[in-house]
Amino acid sequence: MRRVATELGTGAASLYAHVSNKGELHALMLDRIAADIVVPEPDPTRWAGQTKAIVRSMRDALVARPGIAAVAVAQIPIGAQALRVSDGLIAVLRAGGLSKKVIGFAVDLLPLYATAIAQEVAERKEEHASADDYAAVAQQLGEFFANLPADRFPNIAFLGPALSAGDREERFEFGLDILVAGLAAHRD
Amino acid sequence: MRRVATELGTGAASLYAHVSNKGELHALMLDRIAADIVVPEPDPTRWAGQTKAIVRSMRDALVARPGIAAVAVAQIPIGAQALRVSDGLIAVLRAGGLSKKVIGFAVDLLPLYATAIAQEVAERKEEHASADDYAAVAQQLGEFFANLPADRFPNIAFLGPALSAGDREERFEFGLDILVAGLAAHRD
DNA sequence: ACCTGAACACCGTTCAAGT
DNA sequence: ACCTGAACACCGTTCAAGT
């Protein structure tokens, strides 16, 4: 609140004439950010790809503002923009032929995934700020796993490099694949 | 740090003789908590159920300590207990016949889900502390969606009560179903 | 109705000083 | 080697006082 106020050229106390607390400001910020999320015109033949595109867009909108993902977890989004996105997501899932029940759950599950991934990115970025040493940390972690006692952790040893394979993007896309494949499997 | 120190009968400064900062304390706490997570003896015929059981156990361990889930997002767990759990999870997924590549990704994705769900529970609990009015809030939210203009949000309107159907447990189990079904679909 | 300065009740961390 | 009190640099929020 103090930093926001400073940015606006006032004191923190002045903000309380416009929002009742930090939570309300967060909710307003989140809905503004939701305006960036792109929802496509539903196409029944491409529902899986369209669903993925929406979740990607959600993640991008959150990742672009470090810190906001942590705020998103605490909120059920009911602003105008959030409703637009929810409606668009439901439209795509309907086009995919999913049942009402599955859609009702998926409309929570998919944003949860986007938020969790975005938060992970933001939180880890805090630790080792520069993107160049992300690879260095990843390699260091790989070495740590490789040097673990194989008799105590035989399955970690079995997995080997596969445990730390792939960058952030690949891992995100894998999760997206899993989720959409799982939704497809739940079609009646 | 101040509260922990008070609980221990000292001042906050004393803690810095044992941990270098709050993050290190969090890491230690997280590994302690991981001791509660139960991993079964792998049974190839029941890998899906066993995978679900581990994720449930992860969520339970986190939900039992409000606030710790938010901490878990920022950390790659490499303590002794976390490694035990990872090894056990990999063992079950191996028994399920998943490929190394899929296991390597799944060993991140499944804890991410447990953590995200646990955080949601903790964060929302802060808002409306008593569990009795959880149902009240849920109903209020259902009414809010029901009263939305159907011409502006036709897909939300189409979904109707399905949008807010199911309690927290059902929604968690649905996500678990989706994830495990998605993993099963990725078997080569 | 909106804004302000000052204060209140908090934080995590550091550091010189103690044993 | 371990502990301490005091201080530093922060927080979000309230409230009487101003316009």
Side-chain angles (χ1 to χ4, degrees):
Chain A
M1 301 302 276
R2 287 174 122 103
R3 277 201 60 220
V4 169
T6 306
E7 208 80 19
L8 262 45
T10 21
S14 302
L15 300 179
Y16 290 83
H18 303 96
V19 292
S20 60
N21 53 38
K22 195 169 67 146
E24 193 178 308
L25 181 56
H26 282 162
L28 292 167
M29 289 166 75
L30 214 51
D31 206 58
R32 274 268 214 165
I33 284 162
D36 283 1
I37 301 167
V38 179
V39 295
E41 198 61 38
D43 174 353
T45 66
R46 301 193 299 121
W47 75 274
Q50 290 190 321
T51 300
K52 287 183 185 181
I54 294 173
V55 179
R56 264 184 225 117
S57 186
M58 285 176 173
R59 184 208 49 172
D60 292 344
L62 292 169
V63 165
R65 287 85 166 186
I68 203 71
V71 156
V73 197
Q75 243 138 22
I76 303 166
I78 53 166
Q81 286 302 321
L83 291 173
R84 174 188 65 85
V85 172
S86 292
D87 202 77
L89 177 57
I90 296 168
V92 168
L93 297 172
R94 273 182 78 179
L98 301 187
S99 71
K100 279 190 186 186
K101 193 192 156 208
V102 169
I103 296 175
F105 286 154
V107 88
D108 268 1
L109 181 63
L110 296 170
L112 179 78
Y113 180 61
T115 306
I117 288 282
Q119 202 184 347
E120 208 180 41
V121 172
E123 222 79 29
R124 303 256 224 269
K125 198 176 285 175
E126 249 172 53
E127 214 110 317
H128 38 276
S130 63
D132 15 326
D133 57 14
Y134 166 75
V137 171
Q139 207 212 320
Q140 202 183 322
L141 194 71
E143 275 167 37
F144 171 81
F145 283 124
N147 291 327
L148 245 34
D151 53 332
R152 242 186 105 194
F153 305 112
N155 297 290
I156 291 176
F158 161 81
L159 224 54
L163 193 59
S164 47
D167 59 12
R168 222 132 49 178
E169 197 59 28
E170 267 182 89
R171 292 187 167 262
F172 170 68
E173 288 294 331
F174 171 77
L176 217 41
D177 262 3
I178 294 291
L179 287 169
V180 173
L183 287 175
H186 272 68
R187 265 190 296 188
D188 336 309
Chain B
M1 301 302 274
R2 288 174 122 101
R3 278 203 60 219
V4 169
T6 306
E7 207 80 18
L8 262 46
T10 20
S14 302
L15 300 180
Y16 290 83
H18 303 96
V19 292
S20 61
N21 53 39
K22 195 170 66 147
E24 193 178 308
L25 181 56
H26 281 162
L28 292 167
M29 288 166 75
L30 215 50
D31 206 58
R32 274 269 214 165
I33 284 163
D36 283 0
I37 300 167
V38 180
V39 295
E41 199 60 40
D43 174 354
T45 66
R46 300 192 301 121
W47 76 274
Q50 289 190 321
T51 300
K52 287 183 185 180
I54 294 173
V55 179
R56 264 182 226 116
S57 186
M58 286 177 172
R59 184 209 49 173
D60 292 343
L62 292 169
V63 165
R65 288 85 166 184
I68 203 70
V71 157
V73 197
Q75 243 139 20
I76 302 166
I78 52 167
Q81 287 301 322
L83 291 173
R84 174 188 65 85
V85 172
S86 292
D87 203 76
L89 176 58
I90 296 168
V92 169
L93 297 172
R94 274 181 79 178
L98 300 187
S99 72
K100 280 190 186 186
K101 194 191 154 210
V102 169
I103 295 174
F105 286 152
V107 88
D108 268 2
L109 180 61
L110 295 170
L112 179 76
Y113 180 61
T115 306
I117 288 281
Q119 202 184 346
E120 208 179 42
V121 171
E123 221 79 30
R124 304 257 224 267
K125 198 176 283 175
E126 249 173 53
E127 213 110 316
H128 39 275
S130 63
D132 14 325
D133 58 14
Y134 166 74
V137 172
Q139 208 212 320
Q140 202 183 323
L141 195 70
E143 276 167 37
F144 171 80
F145 284 123
N147 291 327
L148 243 36
D151 53 331
R152 244 187 105 191
F153 304 113
N155 296 290
I156 290 177
F158 161 81
L159 224 54
L163 193 59
S164 46
D167 58 13
R168 221 129 54 175
E169 197 59 28
E170 266 182 89
R171 292 186 166 263
F172 170 67
E173 287 295 331
F174 171 79
L176 218 41
D177 262 3
I178 295 290
L179 287 169
V180 173
L183 288 174
H186 273 68
R187 266 189 296 187
D188 337 309

